[in-house]
Amino acid sequence: MSEPMNVTAVAERSGNWWAVEVPEIPGLFTQARRLDQVDGMVRDAARMLGREVGMVTVDPKLSEEDERMIDELLAARREATEARAKASRLTAGAVDALRGQGMTVRDVADIIGITPQRVSALANA
């Protein structure tokens, strides 16, 4: 057997299957039902060709429309994560400011719309 090499498994939908090609190993083609099965299928196919692989990176190829949809989804998730982080910082600042003015935990909770327990946790952090 040859030295193990890291490879990229290019997977493209073909009906209900993922058709898989490994460009680093000419002639290595296989298929899998699910992306999580690609690694094992590539290793099996490589062994049949007398090759051993190290790490298998799965690269699913999607249509341009699907790629745009996924890009938009991931961007929205990033924005949501950033918005949550900003809201957390603003909440902590509001708790500090309002508690600093002598407001009760319950009043602060009512004003900013969180539980009194959360107000206490933020005030004690």
Side-chain angles (χ1 to χ4, degrees), residues 1 6 14 18-20 29 33-34 45 62 72-73 79-80 85 91 101-102 110-111 119 121 123:
M1 285 242 172
N6 296 337
S14 178
W18 288 97
V20 181
F29 300 94
R33 280 271 194 208
R34 299 187 324 256
L62 303 174
E72 186 178 353
L73 164 67
E79 291 168 10
T91 299
Q101 296 172 27
D110 285 343
I111 290 169
V119 171

Side-chain angles (χ1 to χ4, degrees), residues 29-44:
F29 300 94
T30 188
Q31 62 184 9
R33 280 271 194 208
R34 299 187 324 256
L35 289 174
D36 65 346
Q37 297 171 333
V38 169
D39 185 287
M41 298 302 287
V42 165
R43 290 177 191 286
D44 289 346

Side-chain angles (χ1 to χ4, degrees), residues 95 99 104-105 108-109 112 114-124:
V95 166
R99 288 290 289 145
T104 67
V105 167
V108 173
I112 63 176
I114 60 176
T115 66
Q117 293 85 353
R118 185 71 185 131
V119 171
S120 292
L122 289 170
N124 295 325

Side-chain angles (χ1 to χ4, degrees), residues 53-71:
V53 297
M55 187 171 84
V56 177
T57 301
V58 179
D59 181 16
K61 293 297 177 193
L62 303 174
S63 69
E64 285 185 32
E65 181 181 340
D66 288 345
E67 286 285 350
R68 278 192 301 276
M69 175 183 61
I70 299 302
D71 288 346

